[in-house]
Amino acid sequence: MSAFSLALTTHDPLPQGQLVQVCHHEYRELRRHRSLALSFLPSRLDISLIMALFGIECEQRLLDLHRLAERMQVFAGAWEREPQRAVASHDTFRDQVFVNDDAAVRVLLARAQADTRLSLHFYESQLAVCCTLEMRTLLERFLKQYRAAQRIIEELAA
């Protein structure tokens, strides 16, 4: 079971715990979109720019989550600004894939579609257990953004 799958199967119904889970999910998504932007850069600048924009959306969602954490007065020790990566710095690009043909574009876009569906599922499940209005408002907006991203990726893959 991947770390992403594990995150989908656990829920913390307390607002602070949910905030931490959503924040960690967005950090993973930010890294994923940045990696995709880099992957498409050599041959598909159009897709690379779209993935970079999705990464910018992640950054904005993270800012919104941090602002909510401040309003909720989540104590400083509850979570870090970014979860520490277990990978050493020299391994940063070990798994990086660079797209150079149409077949690779299709494969990577299919994986992006699948990962976006998982994010949609994650946010739907988080919304189902959400118990605060401020968090619910953010989750609904995040879900709307991921649905739009899913439509865009589907159009790119068509």
Side-chain angles (χ1 to χ4, degrees), residues 97-117:
V97 175
F98 294 99
V99 174
N100 58 9
D101 60 41
D102 290 340
V105 168
R106 285 190 297 277
V107 168
L108 211 50
L109 283 174
R111 188 168 30 169
Q113 282 179 292
D115 289 342
T116 302
R117 278 192 298 274

Side-chain angles (χ1 to χ4, degrees), residues 48-114:
S48 177
L49 291 173
I50 290 169
M51 295 302 162
L53 288 173
F54 290 159
I56 292 169
E57 283 184 341
C58 290
E59 291 172 350
Q60 183 58 53
R61 285 190 288 269
L62 285 163
L63 285 173
D64 292 341
L65 289 165
H66 287 287
R67 286 186 195 116
L68 179 58
E70 288 172 359
R71 287 194 301 276
M72 291 173 67
Q73 297 178 351
V74 174
F75 57 95
W79 57 315
E80 302 168 356
R81 290 198 56 88
E82 180 173 5
Q84 294 299 314
R85 294 178 58 166
V87 179
S89 60
H90 67 277
D91 290 338
T92 302
F93 294 105
R94 186 188 69 202
D95 296 325
Q96 183 65 49
V97 175
F98 294 99
V99 174
N100 58 9
D101 60 41
D102 290 340
V105 168
R106 285 190 297 277
V107 168
L108 211 50
L109 283 174
R111 188 168 30 169
Q113 282 179 292

